[in-house]
Amino acid sequence: MKNKQLLLLSVLCLCMFVSVPANAQVPIPLGANHPELHWNQFETPHFVIIFPDGLDSTAEAAAPIAEEVYRVVTTNLQTPLPSKTKIYLSDNDELKNAFAATDDHIFVWMRGILDDLPYSLRASGTSKWLRSVLTHEFTHIVIAHATKDWTDIFLPTGGVPRWFNEGMARFMEPDGWTTDLDMVLRISTVYDGLELYSSDYLAGSLTYEAGQSLVRLIAVEFGDTALVKILQYRGALGIYSFTEAVAAVTHRSLGQLVEHWHERLLVYYATQYGQKEEVHDYGRDISHGLDIISAARRQPNGNMIAVVAKSSKDAPTGIYLFRTDTTEPDLLSDLVGLTPDLAWTGDGKHLIISRVRLGRHDDIVYDLFSLDIATKEMKRLTSDGRFEQPDVSHSGDTIVAIHAVGSGSDLVLLKANGDTIRSLTHFDDATTEVYWPRWSPDDKRIAFSLFSKSGKRDIAIVELATDKITLVTDDSINDRYPVWAPNGRSLVFVSHQNGIPNIYRIPFASGGTSAASGRSEIVPISDVATNIIAWDWPLDRDSILVTAFDSKNTVHLYWYSAFRTVSNSPKIELGPKYWSWRGVHWPLVTRTPDLIPYTKKTETTSYNSLMHIAPMFVLPFIGSDRDKVGNEGTQYGLIALAADPMAKHIFTALADFGGESKRFSYDLIYQNNQLGFGLMFERGNKLYFDGVIDDKSYYQLEDNLGLGLQFGFPASDNLEEAHLLFFTGVSRRLTPWNDGDFVNTDPLHRPKELLIREASIKYLYNSRALLTSFTFSHADKGFGSDLSYSLYRAYLNWSVPMTEDRSISFSLAGTLVARTGEEVPQEPLGFSPYDNFQGGYNLLSLQSSDRLRGIRRYLYGNKLVIGTAEIHEPDFLLQQIVPLLGAFRPHLVEFFDIGTVWYSDAPPNNPNVIITPLGKTEWLKSAGLELRTEAFGISIGGGVGWELVRGARADWFFRARGNL
């Protein structure tokens, strides 16, 4: 089994998870490589509910909600489904996500819709997450079915653009428009960034909420039936076209609708913005070059401020430290997996943070870590704890954190070393969520945000001595993020009571244990237009530490007066055409669980993944073809991929027919991912273009049988570090197809019919700075092979950032190859003058020969060395000229290549080669510029290079190669 075939299969498997789901955001194998899990299923009238052991009660609760969702969504969209939809429920990974895959299935993690997103955004109103997430994802399922046409046989596309898909799903949710969603549109409108797609920091939320606002505007002006007609439209040849559908139904082009939407929202949100203040007019900015700050805490009894931040919208998230509020920040850590949570220990020497890591069985979980600010060393405190949002008592000996349990959460107390003390809250409803705990100054109470089973969001306090919970607010307004006053007799918190998130101060009665008597005692201390969150109120200051949006791509840090009082601005009345879209709703809305009738279901049985294997796509392709006498033509073929939704089994099949060769070829690959390691089997018989030999295109027949094993050993505390081990065995019979073209070729490189039986082992290590691999392959006549040889290949790439945001980097790479024993004539070791796709093309035979960019000549040997130095920087020029390039995130690469190839000894089947000592080999050098994009382990690039000799000509090249 050739490496290039393994690489192609890996790419196809990854593409399945990235391209097929209607709104997938997490491209990981779902449930694969977890043999410890036992999955179950039962059926309802319209669904198959699939879940692992331990989620029985959640699955039972999901069944009637799913049936209610089916009634609402299919009725509203007038689109019943012909078959049952599969719903997968999982608590295996702590992922705050869910997705729908075409019109086939839904996958939901128990953290399905995160209630408490940064900057007081949320994904649902008063409804609990299961009702919202199933409504949202099933809307995607129905849209995919409604827009399906015959072209979906080849590649399911979903039919509609993502903004419309997400906008429809958000519009279908039971809560309607909520005030927190306005923030995204208000900021984007004022800062000229109101787009359906954007690259701004708020782009993710903007796609959902901008899409929802435009969908709502269509419903107001043309009726919700217009949305149904857009989905049911069919154009020429029965093919669905969204732009044609919009024009046919609304009698306006999509561009005109978007322009109309811009005008309506600009008036509405600009008016809101103009009534309010801006934080920088009343607070002191202490951001010092950090564009986006998502969390901030001041050192107890000190002046240092720690923040979770990004230096720019495209930079990685890091933990930074301000030594004082007037100094530039120091970077403490930018490891992947940091969350916007941090707290100081009582001595001010460590930070307690929450990070995403791989736990037992490689589950994705949140755990607590201690970061030493002096040494920058990070120590893990918990293992598979599922803890987030820590806060440390002022005495420093106790941590409180959020512990996720299914779809709810509780407050848990831990020792400073991470050992669990006890659960502090014990809610009788599994859907109750808590977040943002804060110790009182006397360490006797903890304030927190509470999302109760009734759907209300309020501020609460729990007494450590009694576990008694007291509500500070109890009004169903969106209240959250409490921060204690230094004297412990009041709190500041964020509330939406006037429709825009602002900070309020609430006092306590004598003793500080009971809530204020009424909302009249709550004092507003900010009246900003964008968003503001309080983080700390230090003992020695009369100011609070806050973050606030300054623009669509900047969230800055301020000192803001804790005792300022404001009067909320009176609302300016606008005509209904500017705001009526916010109140529109579908005829049917999903009822609350207590009003949903009982749902009949079948008996629970074991889930069999083999029974759920289905085609994912069937794609046509073309390749180069040639007959025996040299006539060139085209191969016509199909490649198909089938899998079960959890990717436990993946089948790839390729078949083609040559128009000139009159040959039928096939290749079948099966991959099993349910054993704790990857198992791959391949069987094929194919004719394909395999490269250029002696300036002639070479085609060969290959009959192959292969078996591969893959083992992964990721680092538990570093998501960017992993070890991979591959074992492969393959038998290949190579038969030259157009051997008549090589009659006059040097016998050494004249293709021959060969049976090669080869075993190989490959080790790969990957981290942020280093990618290295070593491959050893051996063929032996003792295996029945016609040749005996060993091939060693080592690769190393070391990369270091040259800027803090990692947008510019410098890398050094090296390749060393050595072959001992006999040579394979049609697979020579050395430099080739040909790029990929030169001389021919075949889907499974991309040329993998070595080449120096800028040099076109043959050099052969049994030892090869290549060294490369590169500078990588963003491309800002060509993306402006060709905007489509931006989707592939290309970057410019200035390179210097150096390499040599030589014979250090004579192969047994080529005894007459010239033996050259390493010190006397010819070292070739080149330099140039390349535009490159990288994805799924493949690098594709093109550019120009020059050999570093006098009179060298420009060499334009294009190549695709595997980075692994």
Side-chain angles (χ1 to χ4, degrees):
M1 190 180 303
K2 291 187 176 180
N3 286 337
K4 55 194 174 185
Q5 294 168 339
L6 286 168
L7 176 64
L8 176 66
L9 179 62
S10 299
V11 172
L12 289 175
C13 294
L14 282 170
C15 286
M16 178 182 69
F17 296 111
V18 174
S19 62
V20 173
N23 67 325
Q25 299 174 37
V26 183
I28 63 171
L30 309 174
N33 276 318
H34 285 283
E36 77 281 0
L37 295 180
H38 175 256
W39 292 80
N40 311 286
Q41 71 175 48
F42 62 75
E43 297 187 25
T44 68
H46 297 102
F47 295 92
V48 181
I49 312 292
I50 301 161
F51 55 96
D53 288 346
L55 286 186
D56 307 66
S57 60
T58 302
E60 293 278 352
I65 294 174
E67 287 297 328
E68 168 70 1
V69 167
Y70 182 92
R71 178 186 73 90
V72 169
V73 178
T74 58
T75 303
N76 285 338
L77 297 184
Q78 301 175 28
T79 306
L81 299 187
S83 59
K84 294 185 179 182
T85 302
K86 296 183 287 290
I87 299 177
Y88 290 81
L89 302 173
S90 174
D91 63 351
N92 188 49
D93 297 298
E94 268 200 297
L95 292 172
K96 301 165 183 178
N97 204 355
F99 72 79
T102 63
D103 62 347
D104 181 73
H105 67 272
I106 296 169
F107 204 101
V108 179
W109 288 273
M110 289 299 92
R111 307 298 299 279
I113 287 185
L114 177 64
D115 172 59
D116 192 43
L117 290 171
Y119 313 120
S120 73
L121 284 170
R122 67 174 184 270
S124 63
T126 59
S127 70
K128 302 307 289 187
W129 72 272
L130 191 57
R131 187 163 63 113
S132 293
V133 74
L134 290 182
T135 303
H136 184 106
E137 302 304 335
F138 188 66
T139 302
H140 290 311
I141 293 285
V142 176
I143 288 174
H145 183 74
T147 59
K148 181 185 290 187
D149 58 40
W150 60 268
T151 63
D152 287 85
I153 297 173
F154 301 104
L155 181 64
T157 60
V160 299
R162 188 163 184 247
W163 67 262
F164 186 82
N165 209 340
E166 298 297 352
M168 287 282 285
R170 295 288 280 127
F171 182 28
M172 192 70 70
E173 288 180 30
D175 287 293
W177 191 266
T178 53
T179 56
D180 56 326
L181 309 180
D182 288 314
M183 187 197 74
V184 180
L185 301 182
R186 186 163 49 245
I187 295 172
S188 299
T189 298
V190 172
Y191 290 98
D192 195 27
L194 184 58
E195 302 172 12
L196 296 170
Y197 296 107
S198 82
S199 59
D200 297 320
Y201 177 65
L202 289 172
S205 296
L206 192 60
T207 297
Y208 282 67
E209 311 317 340
Q212 182 183 181
S213 63
L214 180 47
V215 165
R216 285 171 168 273
L217 190 62
I218 294 173
V220 164
E221 302 208 353
F222 303 96
D224 51 59
T225 56
L227 297 170
V228 176
K229 292 175 182 177
I230 288 173
L231 296 177
Q232 295 177 344
Y233 172 84
R234 289 297 182 273
L237 302 177
I239 297 175
Y240 181 79
S241 169
F242 177 74
T243 54
E244 290 181 13
V246 168
V249 173
T250 67
H251 303 291
R252 296 187 187 182
S253 69
L254 182 58
Q256 290 172 325
L257 272 182
V258 171
E259 184 177 350
H260 180 64
W261 167 71
H262 266 275
E263 178 229 325
R264 290 286 192 264
L265 268 64
L266 177 61
V267 172
Y268 181 76
Y269 286 114
T271 301
Q272 277 190 346
Y273 196 97
Q275 290 180 276
K276 301 295 181 180
E277 304 170 344
E278 293 182 295
V279 180
H280 56 73
D281 291 334
Y282 296 93
R284 180 164 66 90
D285 193 336
I286 54 173
S287 305
H288 304 302
L290 296 177
D291 280 356
I292 298 169
I293 296 177
S294 52
R297 299 298 296 272
R298 188 173 185 255
Q299 182 189 35
N301 303 315
N303 294 317
M304 291 189 286
I305 299 173
V307 299
V308 179
K310 297 158 70 78
S311 59
S312 68
K313 67 180 180 66
D314 297 318
T317 298
I319 297 177
Y320 293 83
L321 184 68
F322 296 100
R323 301 291 174 178
T324 69
D325 61 14
T326 61
T327 58
E328 296 296 315
D330 298 328
L331 178 64
L332 297 181
S333 174
D334 61 352
L335 290 175
V336 168
L338 296 173
T339 63
D341 314 312
L342 76 170
W344 287 91
T345 55
D347 59 10
K349 295 181 179 180
H350 296 80
L351 291 167
I352 306 301
I353 64 171
S354 177
R355 275 184 58 207
V356 180
R357 59 176 290 268
L358 295 179
R360 185 168 55 101
H361 304 302
D362 294 335
D363 300 339
I364 298 173
V365 296
Y366 290 81
D367 269 309
L368 299 183
F369 290 76
S370 175
L371 175 61
D372 189 316
I373 64 170
T375 65
K376 301 184 180 180
E377 293 182 357
M378 195 174 291
K379 177 184 177 182
R380 177 156 51 88
L381 299 179
T382 63
S383 296
D384 296 351
R386 300 184 178 232
F387 294 120
E388 296 178 74
Q389 302 182 15
D391 195 43
V392 184
S393 63
H394 296 79
S395 63
D397 58 359
T398 310
I399 300 171
V400 63
I402 305 305
H403 181 225
V405 184
S407 60
S409 54
D410 272 301
L411 296 178
V412 174
L413 297 178
L414 304 97
K415 295 180 181 179
N417 64 2
D419 292 343
T420 300
I421 300 175
R422 66 184 177 94
S423 181
L424 187 58
T425 59
H426 310 272
F427 296 103
D428 59 0
D429 182 81
T431 65
T432 297
E433 294 179 66
V434 295
Y435 39 88
W436 192 278
R438 288 291 191 272
W439 287 90
S440 64
D442 60 6
D443 284 346
K444 295 181 178 180
R445 297 161 296 169
I446 294 173
F448 60 96
S449 297
L450 173 65
F451 184 18
S452 66
K453 63 181 181 181
S454 64
K456 296 167 61 175
R457 289 174 174 81
D458 284 299
I459 308 299
I461 292 176
V462 59
E463 304 285 337
L464 266 69
T466 63
D467 292 359
K468 178 184 177 182
I469 296 176
T470 303
L471 290 179
V472 177
T473 64
D474 186 13
D475 50 26
S476 75
I477 293 174
N478 186 358
D479 299 329
R480 57 180 68 199
Y481 309 145
V483 171
W484 289 93
N487 61 12
R489 295 185 179 181
S490 63
L491 287 169
V492 292
F493 62 96
V494 174
S495 176
H496 285 247
Q497 66 172 283
N498 72 336
I500 294 178
N502 271 287
I503 299 177
Y504 294 78
R505 186 175 65 249
I506 185 169
F508 294 115
S510 176
T513 58
S514 61
S517 59
R519 188 158 279 276
S520 61
E521 299 185 44
I522 298 177
V523 179
I525 65 174
S526 73
D527 190 31
V528 300
T530 55
N531 163 275
I532 185 170
I533 296 175
W535 293 92
D536 265 332
W537 187 345
L539 181 64
D540 60 342
R541 302 188 71 118
D542 59 2
S543 298
I544 52 178
L545 195 64
V546 304
T547 54
F549 273 89
D550 269 9
S551 73
K552 59 186 178 181
N553 287 317
T554 54
V555 184
H556 281 181
L557 185 65
Y558 293 90
W559 284 117
Y560 186 89
S561 173
F563 296 101
R564 184 170 181 262
T565 59
V566 298
S567 298
N568 291 327
S569 306
K571 292 183 179 180
I572 298 177
E573 294 297 329
L574 296 174
K577 67 179 182 181
Y578 295 108
W579 52 260
S580 57
W581 57 270
R582 299 173 83 255
V584 68
H585 59 82
W586 288 98
L588 291 180
V589 177
T590 51
R591 293 171 289 185
T592 55
D594 57 305
L595 298 177
I596 299 174
Y598 171 78
T599 295
K600 292 183 179 180
K601 69 179 190 65
T602 63
E603 182 181 352
T604 299
T605 60
S606 292
Y607 169 78
N608 188 337
S609 55
L610 286 170
M611 300 300 294
H612 294 275
I613 293 172
M616 305 301 291
F617 60 73
V618 179
L619 291 176
F621 70 89
I622 60 173
S624 302
D625 190 41
R626 192 182 188 112
D627 66 13
K628 285 280 193 178
V629 297
N631 295 315
E632 297 182 349
T634 302
Q635 287 179 332
Y636 304 91
L638 294 172
I639 183 167
L641 190 142
D644 66 284
M646 287 193 289
K648 290 178 177 289
H649 308 277
I650 303 175
F651 294 87
T652 307
L654 176 149
D656 64 48
F657 182 78
E660 291 294 330
S661 63
K662 309 303 180 186
R663 282 278 312 185
F664 171 77
S665 298
Y666 72 90
D667 200 61
L668 303 173
I669 304 173
Y670 166 68
Q671 183 174 355
N672 185 305
N673 291 315
Q674 66 174 351
L675 304 173
F677 56 88
L679 172 66
M680 190 179 299
F681 173 80
E682 179 181 15
R683 178 72 177 96
N685 186 288
K686 49 191 177 290
L687 168 67
Y688 59 91
F689 164 76
D690 196 42
V692 178
I693 300 176
D694 195 24
D695 295 329
K696 303 178 184 70
S697 297
Y698 170 62
Y699 290 75
Q700 73 178 5
L701 292 170
E702 178 179 316
D703 189 81
N704 66 292
L705 180 66
L707 181 68
L709 299 175
Q710 175 182 330
F711 298 86
F713 307 94
S716 62
D717 291 343
N718 188 344
L719 296 178
E720 295 181 303
E721 184 176 344
H723 304 265
L724 296 173
L725 200 59
F726 304 85
F727 297 93
T728 58
V730 63
S731 175
R732 296 186 292 144
R733 179 170 293 281
L734 309 180
T735 304
W737 176 254
N738 58 324
D739 47 348
D741 292 335
F742 299 94
V743 173
N744 298 321
T745 298
D746 180 346
L748 170 64
H749 302 126
R750 188 179 302 157
K752 297 179 181 179
E753 181 170 354
L754 296 169
L755 174 63
I756 296 179
R757 290 178 175 165
E758 180 183 85
S760 67
I761 179 173
K762 180 174 183 176
Y763 165 75
L764 184 144
Y765 169 76
N766 187 30
S767 68
R768 173 181 290 180
L770 185 65
L771 170 64
T772 184
S773 65
F774 177 79
T775 305
F776 169 70
S777 304
H778 181 71
D780 198 284
K781 292 179 180 177
F783 301 160
S785 180
D786 290 342
L787 298 175
S788 292
Y789 62 82
S790 294
L791 185 66
Y792 308 82
R793 178 177 287 267
Y795 174 77
L796 182 145
N797 187 301
W798 175 69
S799 177
V800 294
M802 299 176 66
T803 57
E804 193 171 84
D805 64 1
R806 300 183 178 272
S807 60
I808 302 176
S809 63
F810 172 74
S811 68
L812 293 173
T815 300
L816 291 86
V817 188
R819 181 192 289 272
T820 61
E822 297 175 281
E823 295 184 318
V824 180
Q826 52 262 58
E827 296 177 4
L829 175 62
F831 294 145
S832 169
Y834 290 90
D835 288 325
N836 301 124
F837 315 118
Q838 286 188 302
Y841 166 73
N842 182 274
L843 186 61
L844 288 183
S845 62
L846 292 178
Q847 290 176 252
S848 56
S849 56
D850 298 290
R851 164 160 142 68
L852 297 181
R853 292 163 291 185
I855 299 177
R856 293 189 182 272
R857 70 178 79 170
Y858 290 106
L859 284 175
Y860 295 122
N862 58 10
K863 305 293 185 294
L864 179 146
V865 177
I866 296 176
T868 296
E870 296 181 334
I871 295 177
H872 301 244
E873 55 187 292
D875 161 53
F876 297 110
L877 177 61
L878 291 177
Q879 290 187 64
Q880 300 298 323
I881 300 174
V882 186
L884 183 62
L885 285 176
F888 299 95
R889 296 187 175 274
H891 54 276
L892 293 174
V893 180
E894 296 91 31
F895 66 83
F896 167 76
D897 286 348
I898 182 171
T900 185
V901 61
W902 74 99
Y903 282 101
S904 62
D905 51 64
N909 60 345
N910 188 19
N912 299 320
V913 298
I914 299 175
I915 308 301
T916 306
L918 176 60
K920 295 186 178 181
T921 61
E922 179 186 8
W923 288 87
L924 307 179
K925 307 175 188 68
S926 66
L929 181 68
E930 179 179 353
L931 182 67
R932 183 187 304 170
T933 185
E934 295 168 324
F936 310 128
I938 286 184
S939 170
I940 300 175
V944 61
W946 291 266
E947 185 172 3
L948 298 182
V949 296
R950 186 184 300 273
R953 294 184 177 180
D955 170 39
W956 294 90
F957 63 87
F958 178 82
R959 65 179 186 173
R961 59 192 178 92
N963 295 328
L964 304 182

